[in-house]
């Protein structure tokens, strides 16, 4: 592989005009596609195999005009202080608003607050329920505009009016912190390279790669049902790895120049060595992201594949466009150790020959491996303690910022009707096989009324055939609470008893039940997913490092870092530690897809640092150095770059903490803290300590396995043979 990539790097260096033209053309094509495509909406929720989804599917069959998956809106009215919603003037305003709402082209039904008993006991709050024929993602902008216009007219009349439900989706805002993250990355690159030009290359190529990836996602959003979160996460991961991959190749190029090589040869060797590590590091990230499809949640699968595509683009750009840009730069890119004159180049160093920070740190760890190992493991263990209290759930309008109309509507409904009103449960009773469907419906209602935490049970509403009915249950607790989850399980347990008595089937659905089912499905899939991803990556790393213990150590180190990161997420978003600093307005259960998403993404990113750092150690060991000295050599060449890469990735992920969407905010924080733990505690401390303790045993591989494995030559040993062959040919000539 090293020889192939070496030739690719030299080709891109020589044919730089052609390479640059290809990438600019791809960016333009993707941009045109994105500009002409319809805007993305919220991803529709379809969870195959869950009870809630079975109930939705049954409703589609038995209630054909009901639009079970159609968008909903709750228009919540509050009377001015000292007045009531039943006052004549306020009532007339609400009825006028209801009439306006019914005129929408996609509206299926609108429930009047006064005929539907939707006025609070104290008379100050009322709501109108709007049901649409299409899902929230398919809802036309004209329908959304009609909704907001009707509400504005009621506000102008003096009422407080807010809109809840999924008909209006809050557009996530990442805020200025994302720009700050990129600015921090730029500063780190300038410090690392001592050159504005060299620092600009990783940023430029990463932005081009993310531009192509996100534009392609936007262009396909309508056809593939991709939501706004999909492109946000793809840009988050694509930007971070894109900068890192380019950083490693530019850094290796400057190191090759420092050894006296010609620029084209240096570009080829940089792509052949660091590029090999980029390929395998990128492959581990892609495996982890594509592996999310085993969970069988379409939204998560699409997010993973979209992000994996962006990572693949980042790898290809690093391997081709970076050497092309290096060709354009020529002598303006200085060898390693030299800075541009603008940044202090040409000055005499204060202490010539002094070992760099990476060398000094690695030497310390090699001398004190046990102490460093214990401190690292204990520190990560302490950070992981809160993870034992992990509670999982999915965000609802109650987790939105208070500045959004959805959150204000949520709070008004809680004030007027109780916290459980925001998460009603829909009970679907399938009595097609029952001798007395009406009796079955009544039996279900009576049984549910006797359960704990139930406030209201509506009478059964049968379909035209009379064989299926829906019952609405309002819990006493908020949708994301464990009490509501217990109620859902209790209803399902009762449903099993009722089924035996009445020959009918009882299914619980609705957004709250769907969220509970999703959380359970994610929990059940976590261990199989972990085994699949870690297992595949373990085999891949055996091929890369030709060792058993090094990949095993890499996997165990990853588990430490991801558990510590989950502990930090629990402490901030569930317990509320530093919530003000993170602008977390509402604490509660951690997003249910967070653990499995973190496992996928963090594992891929953790293997980046493992491959980049340990490959240098392996290279030194293969070339004859003692194991302990190989550790020091690996840090001498790789520590500065890995540190810069980690700081950049942390800065980029931290930029998304400023998002107004709770899911993006939580993922940004979780990935940033996970990279910090993995890069600085696991890869920079625990890894060299373990390798120092293992010595030669770290690189042990059974002979039969050594013969069976393909030689991918990540260390670039084949390049030496290739160079020797070229020298012989020159001598013959």
């Amino acid at each position: 592989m090293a020889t192939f990539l070496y030739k690719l790097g030299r080709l891109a260096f020589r044919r730089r005009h052609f390479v640059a033209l290809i990438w600019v053309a791809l960016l333009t094509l993707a941009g045109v596609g994105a500009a002409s495509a319809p805007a993305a909406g919220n991803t529709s929720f379809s969870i195959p195999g869950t009870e809630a989804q079975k109930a939705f599917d049954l409703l589609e069959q038995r209630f054909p005009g009901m639009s079970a998956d159609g968008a909903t809106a709750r228009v919540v009215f509050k009377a001015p202080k000292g007045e009531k919603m039943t006052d004549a003037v306020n009532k007339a305003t609400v009825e006028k608003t209801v009439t306006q709402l019914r005129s929408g082209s996609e509206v299926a039904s609108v429930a009047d607050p006064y005929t539907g008993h939707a006025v609070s006991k104290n008379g100050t709050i009322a709501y109108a329920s709007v049901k649409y024929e299409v899902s929230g993602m398919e809802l036309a902008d004209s329908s959304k505009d009609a909704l907001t216009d009707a509400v504005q007219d009621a506000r102008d009349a003096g009422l407080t009016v807010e809109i809840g439900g999924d008909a209006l989706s809050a557009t996530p805002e990442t805020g200025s912190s994302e720009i700050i993250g990129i600015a921090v990355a730029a500063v780190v690159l300038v410090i690392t390279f001592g050159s504005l030009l060299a620092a600009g290359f990783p940023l430029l190529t990463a932005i081009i790669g993310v531009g192509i990836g996100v534009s392609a996602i936007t262009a396909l959003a309508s056809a593939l049902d991709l939501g706004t979160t999909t492109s946000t996460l793809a840009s988050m991961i694509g930007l971070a790895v894109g900068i890192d991959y380019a950083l490693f190749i530019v850094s290796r190029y400057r190191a090759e120049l420092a050894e006296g090589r010609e620029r084209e040869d240096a570009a080829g060797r940089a792509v052949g060595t660091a590029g090999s590590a980029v390929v395998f590091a990128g492959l581990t990230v892609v495996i982890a992201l594509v592996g999310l499809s085993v969970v069988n949640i379409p939204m998560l699968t699409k997010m993973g594949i979209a992000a994996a595509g962006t990572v693949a683009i980042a790898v290809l750009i690093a391997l081709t466009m970076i050497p092309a840009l290096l060709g354009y730069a020529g002598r303006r890119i200085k060898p390693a150790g030299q800075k541009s004159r603008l940044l202090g180049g040409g000055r005499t160093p204060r202490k010539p020959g002094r070992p760099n920070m990476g060398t000094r740190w690695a030497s310390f760890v090699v001398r004190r491996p046990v102490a460093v190992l214990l401190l690292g493991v204990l520190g990560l263990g302490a950070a992981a303690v809160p993870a034992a209290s992990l509670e999982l759930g999915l965000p609802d309008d109650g987790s939105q910022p208070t500045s959004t109309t959805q959150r204000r509507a949520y709070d008004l409904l809680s004030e007027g009707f109780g916290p459980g009103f925001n998460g009603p449960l829909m009970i679907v009773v399938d009595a097609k096989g029952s001798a007395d469907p009406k009796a079955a419906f009544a039996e279900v209602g009576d049984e549910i009324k006797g359960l704990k935490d139930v406030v209201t049970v509506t009478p059964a509403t049968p379909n035209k055939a009379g064989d299926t009915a829906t019952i609405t249950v309002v819990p006493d607790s908020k949708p994301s609470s464990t009490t509501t989850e217990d109620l859902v399980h209790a209803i399902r347990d009762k449903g099993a008893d009722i089924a035996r008595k009445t020959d009918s089937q009882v299914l619980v659905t609705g957004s709250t039940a769907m969220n509970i089912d999703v959380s359970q499905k994610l929990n059940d899939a976590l261990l199989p997913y972990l085994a699949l991803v870690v297992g595949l990556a373990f085999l891949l790393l055996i091929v890369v490092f030709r060792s058993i213990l090094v990949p095993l150590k890499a996997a165990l180190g990853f588990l430490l870092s991801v558990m510590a990161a989950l502990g930090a997420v629990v402490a901030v978003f569930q317990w509320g530690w530093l919530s003000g600093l993170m602008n977390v307005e509402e604490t509660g259960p951690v997003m249910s897809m967070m653990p499995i998403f973190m496992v996928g993404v963090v594992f891929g990113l953790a293997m980046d640092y493992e491959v980049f750092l340990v490959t240098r150690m392996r290279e030194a060991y293969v070339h004859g150095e003692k194991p302990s000295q190989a550790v020091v050599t690996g840090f001498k060449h790789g520590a500065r770059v890995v540190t810069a890469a980690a700081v950049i990735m942390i800065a980029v992920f931290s930029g998304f903490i400023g998002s107004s969407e709770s899911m993006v905010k939580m993922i940004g924080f979780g990935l940033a803290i996970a990279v910090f733990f993995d890069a600085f505690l696991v890869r920079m401390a625990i890894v060299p300590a373990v390798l120092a303790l293992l010595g030669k045993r770290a690189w042990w591989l059974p002979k039969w396995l050594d013969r069976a494995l393909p030689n991918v030559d990540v260390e670039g040993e084949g390049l030496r043979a290739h160079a020797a062959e070229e020298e012989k040919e020159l001598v013959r000539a």
Side-chain angles (χ1 to χ4, degrees), residues 77-80 83-88 90-91 94 114 119 123-126 159:
F77 305 88
K78 184 175 182 180
E83 300 180 18
K84 292 189 176 182
M85 292 305 305
T86 51
D87 294 346
N90 294 334
K91 188 174 181 180
V94 172
Y114 302 103
V119 181
T124 60
I125 297 174
L159 297 178

Side-chain angles (χ1 to χ4, degrees), residues 558-720:
F558 152 73
L559 292 175
L560 273 174
S561 58
V562 80
M563 288 303 298
L566 277 176
V569 169
V570 169
V572 173
F573 291 90
Q574 187 175 308
W575 292 358
W577 293 5
L578 301 177
S579 57
L581 181 64
M582 300 294 171
N583 197 27
V584 178
E585 296 184 8
E586 187 76 19
T587 59
V590 172
M591 184 182 62
S592 55
M593 66 177 67
M594 190 68 188
I596 201 163
F597 190 82
M598 279 187 66
V599 165
V601 177
V602 175
F603 183 79
L605 300 179
M607 293 308 103
D608 279 3
Y609 303 119
E610 182 74 14
V611 170
F612 290 130
L613 195 59
V614 181
T615 297
R616 273 288 194 163
M617 300 177 192
R618 168 76 182 172
E619 186 177 341
Y621 177 75
V622 167
H623 293 159
E625 292 188 9
K626 293 181 179 179
S628 58
Q629 184 57 42
V631 171
V632 176
T633 301
F635 268 76
K636 176 184 176 181
H637 295 290
R640 179 184 177 89
V641 181
V642 169
T643 299
V647 172
I648 288 169
M649 202 170 278
I650 291 168
V652 172
F653 288 148
S654 297
F656 290 84
I657 297 175
S659 174
S660 62
E661 188 165 321
S662 59
M663 183 171 77
V664 175
K665 181 190 293 286
M666 190 180 294
I667 289 176
F669 172 79
L671 294 182
I673 198 70
V675 169
F676 172 79
F677 286 146
D678 196 86
F680 294 108
L681 294 182
V682 175
R683 308 303 152 188
M684 289 289 188
I686 293 177
V687 165
V690 171
L691 290 177
L693 289 171
L694 289 175
K696 289 184 178 181
R697 289 169 292 181
W699 309 109
W700 171 80
L701 186 70
K703 291 183 179 179
W704 63 268
L705 185 57
D706 186 41
R707 290 191 297 270
L709 291 177
N711 184 11
V712 294
D713 189 23
V714 177
E715 302 85 13
E717 188 65 25
L719 295 182
R720 297 193 172 203

